[in-house]
Amino acid sequence: MKAIGYKENLPIEDVKSLQDIFLDMPKAHGKDILVEIKAISVNPADYKVRANVAAEGDAWKVIGWDATGIVKEVGEDVTLFEVGDEVWYAGDITRQGSYAQYQIVDERIVGKKPSSLSYAEAAALPLTTLTAWEMLFDRLQVAKDDASKSILVIGAAGGVGSILVQLAKKLTKLNIIGTASREETTAWLKELGADTVINHRNKLSEEFEKYNLPAPDYTVSLNGTEEHAEEIVKVIKPQGKFGFIDDPKSFNVMPFKHKAVSTHIEFMFTRSMFQTADIQQQHNILNEASKLIDAGVIKTTLGENFGTINAENLRKAHAFLETGKAKGKIVLEGF
């Protein structure tokens, strides 16, 4: 089968950073299903792993953690899917990824693809939807019927933010404050449901004062956590909850002590990486999200389609994503 992989951690400008290769077809056993991949999307996790995680021995490492496709084979213990089902998933960071024509994935982290979306439109969503959903409802434990609280979403126009804002708008009664720094991303967030959009290039405390905003009960930092930490402490409500998903080089929780702020980290791969008792919750979340999409409640966050799934186009996608200027998600489809 065709695949795209690497053997060395190289800058994306190097043609060997991602290469077109051929690998043996995997086979499904146990709770695994074999999926013929139709479309994928690219996430920051992709370029972080490509740049920092070595391939094992002389083997090719295949990355990629968003895919849509068709079930071609099921393991002997599979109960949730049948051959021919259209599926979507974000996968497992400890296994080979979705930059391939076929992929093995545990059925418990896979959902039924939204029927109203194309493969490419749906591929934009699994990882970011799981991350946003888990952050809101598993980590921060936002109450869906609490109308008196607000949430600040820093870096809200990216992939995770684009779905988190929608989920907060449609499934909760929170007042949503998003941050962006460009006209197009500000407009995008307002379209998705943000009640107020402030500029994260300015001090958050000054923006809150400028717009006369309430101290947020919840604050979610999707990027630049280290850069914004001091301002987050200033604006967050006493006894509030703070969550982040990025990788600050250092993060000191002590400034939050006087406000008794709880701190939460969201890592979408935890359930699959550790085979947690509630691993199948990701199957449930994806199926629930699929219903919301088909009902017109949530829309795809597809930003740009970079064409066929091959090494050249994936290198272009990685390079663009590394600029930090992406609006929505980058997808690729077909081999």
Side-chain angles (χ1 to χ4, degrees):
M1 65 174 184
K2 291 181 180 179
I4 296 89
Y6 69 84
K7 289 188 176 181
E8 302 174 81
N9 303 121
L10 297 167
I12 199 60
E13 296 79 18
D14 193 313
V15 294
K16 290 185 177 180
S17 61
L18 290 171
Q19 301 180 58
D20 292 308
I21 58 176
F22 285 92
L23 296 175
D24 292 336
M25 177 87 74
K27 187 167 179 60
H29 295 288
K31 289 189 173 294
D32 286 340
I33 59 176
L34 176 68
V35 179
E36 179 185 6
I37 291 175
K38 297 294 187 181
I40 63 173
S41 73
V42 182
N43 295 282
D46 298 33
Y47 68 73
K48 291 175 184 178
V49 171
R50 188 209 80 240
N52 299 295
V53 180
E56 294 184 8
D58 194 44
W60 290 98
K61 185 167 183 63
V62 177
I63 59 175
W65 293 284
D66 259 334
T68 54
I70 301 172
V71 177
K72 288 298 181 181
E73 182 180 273
V74 298
E76 59 274 14
D77 299 326
V78 168
T79 60
L80 303 175
F81 297 98
E82 298 178 348
V83 172
D85 284 345
E86 294 185 332
V87 296
W88 66 337
Y89 55 91
D92 179 345
I93 202 166
T94 68
R95 307 179 76 175
Q96 292 284 63
S98 57
Y99 292 5
Q101 281 184 295
Y102 295 88
Q103 184 183 11
I104 290 291
V105 62
D106 189 315
E107 66 165 349
R108 295 171 295 177
I109 59 172
V110 177
K112 293 287 183 72
K113 170 188 160 294
S115 59
S116 60
L117 297 184
S118 69
Y119 286 111
E121 290 170 333
L125 290 166
L127 184 145
T128 53
T129 299
L130 287 166
T131 299
W133 193 295
E134 290 181 354
M135 174 60 84
L136 284 172
F137 304 119
D138 293 346
R139 311 297 169 235
L140 300 180
Q141 297 184 322
V142 170
K144 294 184 178 181
D145 59 353
D146 194 334
S148 64
K149 295 182 177 182
S150 63
I151 185 169
L152 167 64
V153 186
I154 299 169
V160 174
S162 293
I163 189 67
L164 192 148
V165 168
Q166 290 188 76
L167 291 174
K169 187 68 173 181
K170 301 296 185 179
L171 300 184
T172 79
K173 296 179 180 179
L174 293 174
N175 175 53
I176 304 165
I177 305 160
T179 82
S181 59
R182 293 176 286 146
E183 286 186 13
E184 60 266 37
T185 49
T186 296
W188 170 251
L189 287 179
K190 289 181 177 178
E191 181 184 335
L192 295 178
D195 296 294
T196 309
V197 181
I198 63 177
N199 192 334
H200 50 235
R201 290 184 179 173
N202 303 327
K203 289 186 176 181
L204 297 177
S205 57
E206 293 178 358
E207 289 288 286
F208 267 70
E209 185 176 348
K210 175 182 176 181
Y211 290 98
N212 192 29
L213 296 171
D217 301 83
Y218 308 99
T219 295
V220 176
S221 180
L222 303 177
N223 54 52
T225 296
E226 198 168 10
E227 172 190 350
H228 296 294
E230 185 177 332
E231 288 295 305
I232 292 168
V233 173
K234 288 181 183 179
V235 301
I236 197 167
K237 191 174 184 177
Q239 301 184 107
K241 294 184 177 184
F242 170 63
F244 66 96
I245 69 168
D246 60 341
D247 303 292
K249 292 180 181 179
S250 65
F251 181 72
N252 182 10
V253 299
M254 291 311 296
F256 289 102
K257 181 177 181 179
H258 290 165
K259 284 189 173 181
V261 169
S262 60
T263 304
H264 307 262
I265 301 171
E266 162 57 18
F267 188 57
M268 193 281 305
F269 297 113
T270 296
R271 282 176 160 135
S272 56
M273 179 181 286
F274 294 98
Q275 295 285 294
T276 60
D278 64 350
I279 185 174
Q280 195 166 315
Q281 180 64 6
Q282 291 201 336
H283 166 78
N284 298 336
I285 292 170
L286 287 171
N287 279 353
E288 185 63 28
S290 188
K291 292 176 184 176
L292 291 171
I293 290 164
D294 287 339
V297 175
I298 303 295
K299 68 178 182 178
T300 182
T301 55
L302 188 157
E304 293 190 61
N305 189 320
F306 271 48
T308 304
I309 304 170
N310 60 39
E312 181 182 3
N313 287 340
L314 277 165
R315 288 195 299 269
K316 291 178 182 177
H318 277 231
F320 184 59
L321 202 60
E322 287 180 29
T323 68
K325 295 180 180 179
K327 183 190 78 174
K329 292 292 295 293
I330 298 169
V331 304
L332 301 92
E333 62 179 321
F335 287 86

